[in-house]
Amino acid sequence: QTRSAALHDLLAAFVARVPALFVFVFVLFIAAVVVRVLHRFGAYLRGELKAKPRRVAPAGALAFAEIVLKYIIYIVALVAAVLGSIRALPASDQSAIQQTVGVIPGIEPIALLGILAGLLAIVVADRFVDSIFEDMKHHGAKFSPRALDELKSVARYAVWIIGAVVLLFIILALVLSGDRLVIFAVGFVTLMIALAFFAFSPIQNALAGFTLMRTDPFDVGQRIKIGDELVGDVLGMTLSLTTVRTLRNEIVQVPNTRLLQTSVVNFSRSKPYAIFVEVPMGFEVAHDRVKALLLQAAAETDGIVKERPAEVFGKEIEGASILYQLFAYTDQPERMKEIKSALVFRVQELFAAANIRPVGPASSR
């Protein structure tokens, strides 16, 4: 009989707390359903379902927004589940919890509606920002499409981050006292200032990237020269870094701040681009003969354009020799290295056939 009474009391206590358990599980279940629906909607916007939208959304920005919104939903649901289940506990349990942790805040329906309205406002703001930048891309000429895509991503990230912070403080205002909320706000602002201090260099690179995208000195796929030595093809560009494949097939990531601080030559836009070959010859060789051989080498080299004739100049006198400079032009900057090599080899062949030998090492660039 004693065991039966104890078992009866245990079952009665469990049954009394079933509503609280049901509230907790039900709220989290609803949150999981909402997240699942959000994921399906994101897949639709990315064009991953059979039904396709009229315009596919950028995968990167959409994935980030989906992750942020998912965690916001889970955080809100967890807070609502905990507070709601506490309110569904028996009065004796609520009194014990209040004596331990203090007054239990309640969540009014108007507060939940405010949180949901905030989530809706974030989604609307995100779509509004997207539509503004898409309109600028099609009707504005001040910024390049690449710059607008980068700015749109940054703006959408900012919308979600600011919205998440606002919702966080709204939720904390429901569960924290005024003094504790002020302390948290001070700590949060201090943390943001510290993060901004440590992220100064990335922010500086991002601003440099925005400046480069606005001025548009090069595009992806074009061949450029950075400074005096680095020559390569642009593979990609973000707000902070520009990726270049060098002539040695090396992948180099250049900070955008460096690109603003040094000269950048765009070979792809400098058509035709000049190739220089310098040859030192002794005084005993007639300059007309040297000029004719150099022009013949340029004319017989594949990749040298005919529309703009090659030119030969006497650059300077070096001791008992004259330094001749050949200007030949190409409209294939992506083959510049091969064309220059072929030109140098043809110069060598013609001078050897004419039994003429330069007096010093030739140079080219």
Side-chain angles (χ1 to χ4, degrees), residues 288-324:
D288 289 339
R289 180 63 172 155
V290 176
K291 180 177 180 180
L293 290 173
L294 291 175
L295 292 178
Q296 181 182 351
E300 296 175 358
T301 300
D302 181 43
I304 300 299
V305 299
K306 310 300 182 183
E307 294 78 10
R308 183 168 182 178
E311 302 170 288
V312 177
F313 300 95
K315 183 179 180 181
E316 58 187 358
I317 297 177
E318 296 181 344
S321 64
I322 297 176
L323 182 62
Y324 292 88

Side-chain angles (χ1 to χ4, degrees), residues 209-221:
F210 170 71
T211 302
L212 287 174
M213 291 176 184
R214 186 176 185 275
T215 56
D216 196 27
F218 51 78
D219 292 319
V220 173

Side-chain angles (χ1 to χ4, degrees), residues 196-217:
F197 176 78
F198 287 110
F200 176 76
S201 181
I203 292 174
Q204 190 178 30
N205 277 326
L207 293 176
F210 170 71
T211 302
L212 287 174
M213 291 176 184
R214 186 176 185 275
T215 56
D216 196 27

Side-chain angles (χ1 to χ4, degrees), residues 11-27 80-91 93-94:
L11 290 176
F14 175 76
V15 170
R17 291 161 179 81
V18 165
L21 180 62
F22 174 79
V23 169
F24 187 85
V25 174
F26 180 75
V27 172
V82 170
L83 296 181
S85 60
I86 290 176
R87 288 296 179 182
L89 288 172
D93 290 347
Q94 294 188 36

Side-chain angles (χ1 to χ4, degrees), residues 129-138 148 151-152 155:
V129 168
D130 180 77
S131 63
I132 287 179
F133 280 99
E134 288 297 324
D135 184 70
M136 291 176 62
K137 185 188 298 185
H138 292 93
L148 290 175
L151 288 175
K152 181 176 69 174

Side-chain angles (χ1 to χ4, degrees), residues 62-116:
L62 188 60
F64 177 81
E66 183 179 333
I67 291 174
V68 172
L69 188 58
K70 178 178 70 175
Y71 282 106
I72 291 176
I73 292 174
Y74 277 138
I75 291 173
V76 173
L78 183 60
V79 173
V82 170
L83 296 181
S85 60
I86 290 176
R87 288 296 179 182
L89 288 172
S92 58
D93 290 347
Q94 294 188 36
S95 300
I97 294 175
Q98 288 180 2
Q99 292 176 2
T100 304
V101 300
V103 179
I104 303 173
I107 298 183
E108 299 295 334
I110 189 64
L112 290 176
L113 290 177
I115 294 174
L116 294 177

Side-chain angles (χ1 to χ4, degrees), residues 255-283:
N256 288 332
T257 50
R258 178 185 171 187
L259 295 177
L260 285 183
Q261 296 169 359
T262 188
S263 60
V264 176
V265 178
N266 191 324
F267 294 140
S268 300
R269 295 181 184 177
S270 304
K271 294 183 179 181
Y273 177 74
I275 296 176
F276 300 84
V277 176
E278 296 178 347
V279 182
M281 300 299 301
F283 281 167

